Amino acid sequence: MVKIILVQPTDNVLGADGLVPGFQTDYTHSLERDNSTEATKMGSISAIGALTENMELSMYGRKGDAGQKAIYRAIKDGKELKVWEVDTEKNDEGTHDAKFAYAVVDSFETTSPVEGLEELSASMTIQIESAEGAFMDLPPGLINFAKYGFQKPGDTTGDSKNIVNSTKVTGITVTPETLSLTPTDKQQLSVEITPVDASNQSVVYTSSNASVATVSPNGLVTAVAAGTATITVTSKDNSTITDTVAVEVA
């Protein structure tokens, strides 16, 4: 049974989608009652106390992750957060069991080791109590994301085409769009991949005229001699997705 957490700020617009904090690793949902026990001559009796529910979520940090940012903003701004716990496997009725709650983020911790991945953890207290329900359907990508989760090098085998939940590249944007250089000048290109969580972020750089300008495998353009050239950046995930930079050397 694989469960995944969705979150949403309380000031969301109507009809907005839930946010999935990326690279979730561990999740705990605990219920506790502050019962009091008194001893009598006939034995002990307990008074049932108030119910307290807590959620603990840990994940690996990912720059620009909207779900992780929503949790951080909730504790930073002192606002409640909408939280869903969703089972990605269907029940006997063909739906996905789920719980919903308004939660207060008690803590949000970031651990950044000298070597390794940034680890995030959040502790949340549920307001009043959670409500049980169900989702009729979940997007296939969300289900596969939960099953696939985060990988470290060596955790899986196979090329990028065979990775479960491979997120395809849909666009490339290279900056600057044009370069005006003199011989021996150098300029580093910046590449933005869309979507930001695309599985294969690798690109290939080529120059249409290496006698005018060359480009390194990391996108460093070097002016050689007067003339014009076009630097093309091509996605390794999809060779039809490209962007270009016009170079003039004078």
Side-chain angles (χ1 to χ4, degrees), residues 157-164 166-168 199-200 236-237:
T157 187
D159 60 23
S160 61
K161 295 180 181 179
N162 298 315
I163 296 177
V164 179
S166 178
T167 302
K168 299 298 182 182
S199 300
N200 189 349
K236 277 192 175 183
D237 184 56

Side-chain angles (χ1 to χ4, degrees), residues 5-79:
I5 299 303
L6 286 75
V7 299
Q8 192 177 68
T10 54
D11 58 358
N12 64 285
V13 297
L14 293 175
D17 292 330
L19 304 173
V20 184
F23 301 148
Q24 298 177 25
T25 54
D26 296 303
Y27 166 69
T28 303
H29 180 191
S30 61
L31 294 85
E32 182 179 350
R33 286 191 180 275
D34 186 18
N35 299 332
S36 60
T37 302
E38 298 291 340
T40 72
K41 293 181 179 180
M42 307 299 292
S44 298
I45 58 172
S46 294
I48 298 176
L51 177 67
T52 301
E53 288 186 71
N54 296 96
M55 291 180 171
E56 302 281 343
L57 177 65
S58 59
M59 62 209 112
Y60 287 108
R62 180 172 64 174
K63 189 175 182 180
D65 187 288
Q68 295 177 358
K69 184 177 180 180
I71 299 174
Y72 171 78
R73 292 311 317 177
I75 188 170
K76 185 74 173 180
D77 299 339
K79 295 182 177 180

Side-chain angles (χ1 to χ4, degrees), residues 110-188:
T110 301
T111 302
S112 300
V114 176
E115 294 183 358
L117 301 165
E118 182 180 61
E119 299 176 4
L120 309 178
S121 61
S123 176
M124 296 172 279
T125 299
I126 292 174
Q127 297 287 68
I128 308 176
E129 63 180 67
S130 59
E132 297 182 353
F135 281 84
M136 294 299 295
D137 293 294
L138 293 176
L142 177 60
I143 297 174
N144 290 336
F145 172 85
K147 292 180 179 178
Y148 173 66
F150 177 77
Q151 289 188 22
K152 293 180 180 178
D155 282 352
T156 65
T157 187
D159 60 23
S160 61
K161 295 180 181 179
N162 298 315
I163 296 177
V164 179
N165 192 40
S166 178
T167 302
K168 299 298 182 182
V169 174
T170 60
I172 292 177
T173 303
V174 184
T175 52
E177 297 179 351
T178 61
L179 289 175
S180 297
L181 306 173
T182 58
T184 72
D185 283 352
K186 297 180 183 294
Q187 175 68 51
Q188 177 66 49

